[in-house]
Amino acid sequence: MSRTLLLVGTRKGAFVLDGGRDRSSWSVSEPMCEGWPIHDLQWDAATGSIYAGGGSAWYGAAVFRSDDLGKTWNHSSEGMTYGDDGPKIPTVWNVTPANGSIFAGVEPAGLFRSDDGGATWQHVSGLRDHPSRPGWQPGAGGLICHTIVPHPTDDAKMFVAISAVGTFATEDGGATWEARNNGVVDCNSPDPHPETGQCVHKLVMAAGEPDSLYQQNHCGVYRSADSGKSWTDISAGLSSEFGFSMRAHPRDPASAWVIPMSHPEEGRMAPGGALAVWRTSDRGDTWQRHGDGLPQEHAYVGVLREAMAVDPNDSVGVYFGTSTGQLYGSIDEGRTWRTVADNLPPIWGVEAVVLD
Amino acid sequence: MVTVVLPRSLVAIIPTAPRRCEIAATTVADAIDRLDELAPGIRNRLVDAGPVIREHINVYVDHEPATLSTPLRADSTVHVIPAVSGG
């Protein structure tokens, strides 16, 4: 019988929650990573390690690693630099294990790779060598490489998402990158269809279909069937085209979840104070609202880009954390919801792990 | 020997780092390099691109604000103190 864990990154440290076998009640750990602001935690199934990426206002950016489910941690940022003449790196926004390596997306936007389990890092300089880079502009969260989507079988292929720049793809192991934003509107520009400048908030890959992608953007929700070479707006039917988080179903390529937020100039919180997760089961043609068990009035909360997770159990668990420290969970694929934890620090990242 | 005093929050993330130690060094940069030999990783936590001492880390030599190039006497005391910031 399996055991489900939630890895939670917050403004004041990382937490591990244990839902046991049935996910009916959750134990909450003490704060980890010495209270460092942690944007993202990921599980490396190949090694059984947890990686946590973040940055301290005092001590800079680093990736923490635990090999014992969070009991002890070490950290490193050795090599995580643009050089003494380059910009300073205040924080890590994403850490993603892939094909034996660990990748880290940082601010200002760039990608680093570790081939020794996070002990040392090398700059994947091809991304910042993209000719559009002089024009890259920050979003409200900064100029950040916040999403890394590796190809499941081809080490040479990877997608990254940068705010407020767009989606990029490499097919040569990171040496060169191509902008993949055709069809995505930049609603904050007099030119609605630039090569880059689209503020992608989260990029996910459909289960078992490496060419099928979804994204929650500042200006809508989109799908692509051709590795991001063209995108189709699938926002119709949602309560808001704006949001940060998105997750794909672990087995059904047609299913994904988003959490719409109010218009970016109207607070960026649960629309009308009613919190809901929306699911599509037909690749975004239609959406279903699910708020059963979630607060439906006066819930003026935000949910940030990394703060939703799904687990791969037979009845998929869906979880999300708020910017005010509530953590909600569903064990029926998002239909009904319960409070998993409350009174945590502002939640920035949630990841679900199932241990055999 | 130069006496170095490190903050609890730094020692907490680098288990081999001492709260207080004595080393031979002629500048603050030299002292940080020696500390990094004793406890690998300290330099990255204290020094940013430039190189400069990180913006929210204060280093004092004999109670005076210091930079990486500040010289040390044989009997100097170096205090590393996180800035008053947070929330």
Side-chain angles (χ1 to χ4, degrees):
Chain A
M1 194 71 178
S2 59
R3 168 183 168 206
T4 303
L5 303 181
L6 295 180
L7 315 178
V8 180
T10 80
R11 186 164 170 261
K12 295 173 184 283
F15 297 81
V16 175
L17 285 76
D18 191 336
R21 295 178 176 176
D22 59 8
R23 300 173 287 175
S24 62
S25 63
W26 296 81
S27 63
V28 182
S29 74
E30 299 295 315
M32 301 170 179
C33 302
E34 292 301 321
W36 275 44
I38 298 295
H39 281 285
D40 185 30
L41 291 107
Q42 293 288 325
W43 169 254
D44 186 355
T47 61
S49 302
I50 300 172
Y51 290 92
S56 157
W58 294 325
Y59 300 120
V63 172
F64 288 77
R65 171 177 171 158
S66 174
D67 297 325
D68 52 15
L69 298 180
K71 293 183 179 67
T72 61
W73 296 82
N74 55 45
H75 82 281
S76 177
S77 61
E78 185 67 35
M80 190 177 282
T81 173
Y82 293 132
D84 279 340
D85 296 331
K88 297 176 174 63
I89 297 175
T91 192
V92 173
W93 276 79
N94 183 288
V95 57
T96 297
N99 305 314
S101 298
I102 313 299
F103 292 87
V106 305
E107 175 187 4
L111 183 67
F112 286 83
R113 171 180 182 148
S114 174
D115 294 321
D116 55 11
T120 62
W121 297 87
Q122 299 84 45
H123 184 206
V124 182
S125 59
L127 181 59
R128 285 177 64 85
D129 290 339
H130 192 272
S132 67
R133 209 250 297 173
W136 291 5
Q137 295 292 323
L143 177 56
I144 54 178
C145 179
H146 55 69
T147 303
I148 300 166
V149 180
H151 192 283
T153 57
D154 188 341
D155 292 1
K157 293 183 177 180
M158 175 179 283
F159 302 92
V160 298
I162 300 173
S163 288
V165 182
T167 298
F168 290 82
T170 182
E171 297 184 353
D172 58 11
T176 62
W177 295 77
E178 181 178 273
R180 299 272 174 94
N181 301 304
N182 289 336
V184 180
V185 169
D186 179 0
C187 55
N188 297 303
S189 166
D191 172 11
H193 296 288
E195 180 194 19
T196 59
Q198 291 86 347
C199 191
V200 54
H201 286 174
K202 183 48 63 181
L203 178 74
V204 297
M205 182 179 284
E209 296 183 7
D211 294 332
S212 295
L213 303 172
Y214 299 96
Q215 70 167 281
Q216 170 70 68
N217 191 284
H218 191 103
C219 309
V221 181
Y222 293 84
R223 73 176 177 224
S224 171
D226 56 6
S227 300
K229 293 171 184 168
S230 64
W231 292 90
T232 300
D233 190 329
I234 54 172
S235 307
L238 290 168
S239 59
S240 169
E241 65 186 21
F242 184 87
F244 289 101
S245 54
M246 185 168 201
R247 283 288 182 162
H249 193 283
R251 291 178 293 276
D252 175 9
S255 287
W257 293 269
V258 295
I259 305 178
M261 296 281 109
S262 59
H263 189 276
E265 296 174 17
E266 297 173 357
R268 307 179 182 206
M269 49 194 178
L275 193 53
V277 176
W278 293 63
R279 177 180 177 168
T280 182
S281 300
D282 54 13
R283 301 178 189 267
D285 288 342
T286 62
W287 294 92
Q288 296 78 47
R289 182 186 190 278
H290 297 292
D292 185 3
L294 296 172
Q296 294 303 297
E297 58 180 5
H298 309 308
Y300 302 109
V301 303
V303 180
L304 295 176
R305 68 184 81 246
E306 202 63 55
M308 181 161 56
V310 297
D311 73 35
N313 286 300
D314 289 341
S315 179
V316 172
V318 187
Y319 313 89
F320 70 91
T322 71
S323 53
T324 42
Q326 296 84 36
L327 183 61
Y328 297 104
S330 165
I331 57 173
D332 57 6
E333 307 213 345
R335 295 178 187 87
T336 60
W337 293 85
R338 295 176 57 187
T339 300
V340 170
D342 202 348
N343 301 314
L344 293 174
I347 295 171
W348 287 353
V350 180
E351 182 61 31
V353 179
V354 173
L355 304 178
D356 292 328
Chain B
M1 298 289 276
V2 172
T3 300
V4 180
V5 182
L6 298 174
R8 188 212 65 81
S9 55
L10 179 61
V11 171
I13 57 172
I14 303 177
T16 54
R19 279 300 302 273
R20 186 183 190 97
C21 65
E22 293 191 344
I23 57 174
T26 57
T27 65
V28 169
D30 190 24
I32 291 174
D33 286 345
R34 298 291 81 74
L35 287 169
D36 200 62
E37 292 170 0
L38 290 171
I42 277 189
R43 188 177 191 282
N44 285 335
R45 301 284 63 85
L46 299 180
V47 178
D48 211 337
V52 294
I53 295 169
R54 289 192 180 277
E55 182 180 5
H56 296 292
I57 294 293
N58 294 320
V59 175
Y60 298 90
V61 173
D62 300 325
H63 302 280
E64 294 296 325
T67 68
L68 288 173
S69 61
T70 298
L72 304 177
R73 298 193 318 263
D75 61 349
S76 286
T77 298
V78 178
H79 284 91
V80 178
I81 301 175
V84 179
S85 60

